[in-house]
Amino acid sequence: MLTRRHIRVKVMQSLYALEQTKSDNLDKEEKFLLFSIEQMYDLFLINLQLLVEVRKHAADFLEKSQKKYLATSEEKNPNQKFINNEVLLLLENNTELKEAMDHKKMNCWDLDDEYVKILWKEISTSEVYTDYMDTKMSSFKEDKDFVLDVFKEIIAPNDKLYEYIEDKMLTWIDDLPLVNTGIIKMLRKVKQTHDENMSLPKLYKDADDKKFARDIFRKTALNGVEFAKEIEGKTPNWDKDRIAELDKAVIKMAICEFQKFPSIPVKVTINEYLEIAKEYSTPKSSIFINGILDKISKEYQENGKLNKVGRGLM
């Protein structure tokens, strides 16, 4: 689920914080970095569980409606298509999701169930819901398409949910686009099955990605002074004190990849950090950073300092 770009963003944020606090305890800062990455997976789990809780709330709502003293014929015999949605039931019965939520003791939707009610109201009054409930029977494909539409059109862009997530943990706002994309990808891959052990996507693609997070953080932090000297002289129209701290962190990380990560192509490094700068720094930062990294990479190539192995890595 986690991409290398998101790992780079998390490391950049940690290096920026390290510079601001002037901390020299790398072990502590590395633990916090990995913790913040793990927190992103928590956001993935609670947003997935939110679909389960909305279905449960809808089932409870229908049950109470049936017990009304003056219940209408529609309330007595409601259309149960939504609460019988196969994809929602697969999520609700998923052993891995249950165990993860229990293990992490994440009960936010029990404590903050008003957000479940808000979303159920928005879903039940939506055109997507009306069209879906027009019949009482459905195929697995229709169930899946409906859940995808609900998530993309109602849950993911919900302002109140966004504010709730921001209040819960500030760093989650940066993680939300990736988490939502991860949920959509997972839902698209869901297949009709009675297997309660449907696998959830893992946080890291493999052990190499987790190692990359540690390595790029430590190697950039430990060589920060040396990398800062590399920047000097490459910015004739800029005083070094005028360079934004975030831009410095981005440039240092790119230099670190040039020197310390032989398997990562130069073009990949430059493109990744330019995209990060466009999203997180000032409007002109990407142009400024591109100029510096271009100069440094060419200089390294000329003097043999560019540590790359394999074809196509230059």
PDB file of all heavy atoms in Angstrom, residues 30 210-220 256 261:
ATOM      1  N   GLU A  30      14.069   8.033  14.728  1.00  0.00           N
ATOM      2  CA  GLU A  30      13.742   6.958  13.791  1.00  0.00           C
ATOM      3  C   GLU A  30      12.508   6.198  14.266  1.00  0.00           C
ATOM      4  O   GLU A  30      11.636   5.851  13.461  1.00  0.00           O
ATOM      5  CB  GLU A  30      14.915   5.989  13.652  1.00  0.00           C
ATOM      6  CG  GLU A  30      14.660   4.876  12.653  1.00  0.00           C
ATOM      7  CD  GLU A  30      15.748   3.809  12.654  1.00  0.00           C
ATOM      8  OE1 GLU A  30      16.829   4.098  12.119  1.00  0.00           O
ATOM      9  OE2 GLU A  30      15.514   2.720  13.207  1.00  0.00           O
ATOM     10  N   LYS A 210      10.737  -0.911   3.985  1.00  0.00           N
ATOM     11  CA  LYS A 210      10.924  -0.475   5.371  1.00  0.00           C
ATOM     12  C   LYS A 210      12.387  -0.128   5.619  1.00  0.00           C
ATOM     13  O   LYS A 210      12.711   0.853   6.302  1.00  0.00           O
ATOM     14  CB  LYS A 210      10.463  -1.573   6.341  1.00  0.00           C
ATOM     15  CG  LYS A 210      10.441  -1.111   7.792  1.00  0.00           C
ATOM     16  CD  LYS A 210       9.750  -2.128   8.692  1.00  0.00           C
ATOM     17  CE  LYS A 210       9.617  -1.599  10.115  1.00  0.00           C
ATOM     18  NZ  LYS A 210       8.904  -2.548  10.987  1.00  0.00           N
ATOM     19  N   LYS A 211      13.284  -0.902   5.037  1.00  0.00           N
ATOM     20  CA  LYS A 211      14.718  -0.624   5.157  1.00  0.00           C
ATOM     21  C   LYS A 211      15.059   0.702   4.473  1.00  0.00           C
ATOM     22  O   LYS A 211      15.868   1.484   4.979  1.00  0.00           O
ATOM     23  CB  LYS A 211      15.526  -1.762   4.530  1.00  0.00           C
ATOM     24  CG  LYS A 211      17.042  -1.627   4.700  1.00  0.00           C
ATOM     25  CD  LYS A 211      17.768  -2.832   4.110  1.00  0.00           C
ATOM     26  CE  LYS A 211      19.267  -2.770   4.375  1.00  0.00           C
ATOM     27  NZ  LYS A 211      19.917  -1.586   3.795  1.00  0.00           N
ATOM     28  N   PHE A 212      14.427   0.958   3.331  1.00  0.00           N
ATOM     29  CA  PHE A 212      14.654   2.217   2.623  1.00  0.00           C
ATOM     30  C   PHE A 212      14.278   3.402   3.505  1.00  0.00           C
ATOM     31  O   PHE A 212      14.994   4.410   3.546  1.00  0.00           O
ATOM     32  CB  PHE A 212      13.832   2.245   1.328  1.00  0.00           C
ATOM     33  CG  PHE A 212      13.887   3.557   0.603  1.00  0.00           C
ATOM     34  CD1 PHE A 212      15.032   3.949  -0.078  1.00  0.00           C
ATOM     35  CD2 PHE A 212      12.789   4.410   0.604  1.00  0.00           C
ATOM     36  CE1 PHE A 212      15.087   5.172  -0.750  1.00  0.00           C
ATOM     37  CE2 PHE A 212      12.829   5.629  -0.064  1.00  0.00           C
ATOM     38  CZ  PHE A 212      13.981   6.010  -0.740  1.00  0.00           C
ATOM     39  N   ALA A 213      13.149   3.293   4.217  1.00  0.00           N
ATOM     40  CA  ALA A 213      12.710   4.380   5.106  1.00  0.00           C
ATOM     41  C   ALA A 213      13.766   4.665   6.170  1.00  0.00           C
ATOM     42  O   ALA A 213      14.123   5.829   6.418  1.00  0.00           O
ATOM     43  CB  ALA A 213      11.381   4.018   5.764  1.00  0.00           C
ATOM     44  N   ARG A 214      14.265   3.603   6.789  1.00  0.00           N
ATOM     45  CA  ARG A 214      15.297   3.769   7.826  1.00  0.00           C
ATOM     46  C   ARG A 214      16.581   4.340   7.228  1.00  0.00           C
ATOM     47  O   ARG A 214      17.185   5.266   7.781  1.00  0.00           O
ATOM     48  CB  ARG A 214      15.605   2.413   8.467  1.00  0.00           C
ATOM     49  CG  ARG A 214      14.560   1.893   9.430  1.00  0.00           C
ATOM     50  CD  ARG A 214      15.173   0.742  10.226  1.00  0.00           C
ATOM     51  NE  ARG A 214      14.285   0.234  11.255  1.00  0.00           N
ATOM     52  CZ  ARG A 214      13.679  -0.944  11.201  1.00  0.00           C
ATOM     53  NH1 ARG A 214      13.848  -1.721  10.138  1.00  0.00           N
ATOM     54  NH2 ARG A 214      12.908  -1.343  12.182  1.00  0.00           N
ATOM     55  N   ASP A 215      17.004   3.769   6.102  1.00  0.00           N
ATOM     56  CA  ASP A 215      18.300   4.132   5.518  1.00  0.00           C
ATOM     57  C   ASP A 215      18.331   5.570   5.019  1.00  0.00           C
ATOM     58  O   ASP A 215      19.290   6.296   5.262  1.00  0.00           O
ATOM     59  CB  ASP A 215      18.660   3.182   4.377  1.00  0.00           C
ATOM     60  CG  ASP A 215      19.060   1.794   4.867  1.00  0.00           C
ATOM     61  OD1 ASP A 215      19.244   1.640   6.089  1.00  0.00           O
ATOM     62  OD2 ASP A 215      19.190   0.876   4.037  1.00  0.00           O
ATOM     63  N   ILE A 216      17.294   5.990   4.289  1.00  0.00           N
ATOM     64  CA  ILE A 216      17.297   7.346   3.745  1.00  0.00           C
ATOM     65  C   ILE A 216      17.231   8.371   4.870  1.00  0.00           C
ATOM     66  O   ILE A 216      17.841   9.448   4.795  1.00  0.00           O
ATOM     67  CB  ILE A 216      16.141   7.549   2.721  1.00  0.00           C
ATOM     68  CG1 ILE A 216      16.273   8.888   1.991  1.00  0.00           C
ATOM     69  CG2 ILE A 216      14.779   7.441   3.366  1.00  0.00           C
ATOM     70  CD1 ILE A 216      17.397   8.978   1.018  1.00  0.00           C
ATOM     71  N   PHE A 217      16.531   8.023   5.954  1.00  0.00           N
ATOM     72  CA  PHE A 217      16.461   8.930   7.110  1.00  0.00           C
ATOM     73  C   PHE A 217      17.829   9.046   7.785  1.00  0.00           C
ATOM     74  O   PHE A 217      18.358  10.144   7.979  1.00  0.00           O
ATOM     75  CB  PHE A 217      15.417   8.433   8.116  1.00  0.00           C
ATOM     76  CG  PHE A 217      15.422   9.215   9.406  1.00  0.00           C
ATOM     77  CD1 PHE A 217      14.921  10.510   9.446  1.00  0.00           C
ATOM     78  CD2 PHE A 217      15.961   8.672  10.571  1.00  0.00           C
ATOM     79  CE1 PHE A 217      14.941  11.246  10.629  1.00  0.00           C
ATOM     80  CE2 PHE A 217      15.982   9.392  11.755  1.00  0.00           C
ATOM     81  CZ  PHE A 217      15.468  10.682  11.784  1.00  0.00           C
ATOM     82  N   ARG A 218      18.416   7.916   8.142  1.00  0.00           N
ATOM     83  CA  ARG A 218      19.675   7.926   8.885  1.00  0.00           C
ATOM     84  C   ARG A 218      20.830   8.494   8.044  1.00  0.00           C
ATOM     85  O   ARG A 218      21.619   9.305   8.527  1.00  0.00           O
ATOM     86  CB  ARG A 218      20.031   6.517   9.350  1.00  0.00           C
ATOM     87  CG  ARG A 218      19.296   6.113  10.621  1.00  0.00           C
ATOM     88  CD  ARG A 218      19.871   4.854  11.226  1.00  0.00           C
ATOM     89  NE  ARG A 218      19.327   4.653  12.552  1.00  0.00           N
ATOM     90  CZ  ARG A 218      19.867   5.105  13.677  1.00  0.00           C
ATOM     91  NH1 ARG A 218      20.983   5.803  13.614  1.00  0.00           N
ATOM     92  NH2 ARG A 218      19.309   4.887  14.838  1.00  0.00           N
ATOM     93  N   LYS A 219      20.937   8.051   6.797  1.00  0.00           N
ATOM     94  CA  LYS A 219      22.061   8.476   5.961  1.00  0.00           C
ATOM     95  C   LYS A 219      21.989   9.961   5.635  1.00  0.00           C
ATOM     96  O   LYS A 219      23.018  10.634   5.541  1.00  0.00           O
ATOM     97  CB  LYS A 219      22.107   7.640   4.681  1.00  0.00           C
ATOM     98  CG  LYS A 219      22.547   6.202   4.938  1.00  0.00           C
ATOM     99  CD  LYS A 219      22.546   5.358   3.674  1.00  0.00           C
ATOM    100  CE  LYS A 219      22.981   3.925   3.989  1.00  0.00           C
ATOM    101  NZ  LYS A 219      23.008   3.065   2.789  1.00  0.00           N
ATOM    102  N   THR A 220      20.775  10.483   5.482  1.00  0.00           N
ATOM    103  CA  THR A 220      20.640  11.921   5.238  1.00  0.00           C
ATOM    104  C   THR A 220      20.959  12.703   6.505  1.00  0.00           C
ATOM    105  O   THR A 220      21.671  13.718   6.459  1.00  0.00           O
ATOM    106  CB  THR A 220      19.220  12.275   4.745  1.00  0.00           C
ATOM    107  OG1 THR A 220      18.908  11.499   3.595  1.00  0.00           O
ATOM    108  CG2 THR A 220      19.123  13.752   4.398  1.00  0.00           C
ATOM    109  N   CYS A 256      21.650  12.398  -1.061  1.00  0.00           N
ATOM    110  CA  CYS A 256      21.871  11.121  -0.381  1.00  0.00           C
ATOM    111  C   CYS A 256      21.578   9.960  -1.334  1.00  0.00           C
ATOM    112  O   CYS A 256      22.338   8.991  -1.384  1.00  0.00           O
ATOM    113  CB  CYS A 256      20.984  11.031   0.862  1.00  0.00           C
ATOM    114  SG  CYS A 256      21.280   9.558   1.861  1.00  0.00           S
ATOM    115  N   PHE A 261      22.617   5.343  -2.671  1.00  0.00           N
ATOM    116  CA  PHE A 261      21.636   4.348  -3.125  1.00  0.00           C
ATOM    117  C   PHE A 261      21.914   3.991  -4.589  1.00  0.00           C
ATOM    118  O   PHE A 261      21.286   4.547  -5.499  1.00  0.00           O
ATOM    119  CB  PHE A 261      20.211   4.877  -2.940  1.00  0.00           C
ATOM    120  CG  PHE A 261      19.800   5.016  -1.506  1.00  0.00           C
ATOM    121  CD1 PHE A 261      20.177   6.133  -0.767  1.00  0.00           C
ATOM    122  CD2 PHE A 261      19.066   4.024  -0.874  1.00  0.00           C
ATOM    123  CE1 PHE A 261      19.820   6.262   0.572  1.00  0.00           C
ATOM    124  CE2 PHE A 261      18.697   4.139   0.455  1.00  0.00           C
ATOM    125  CZ  PHE A 261      19.077   5.261   1.190  1.00  0.00           C
TER     126      PHE A 261
END
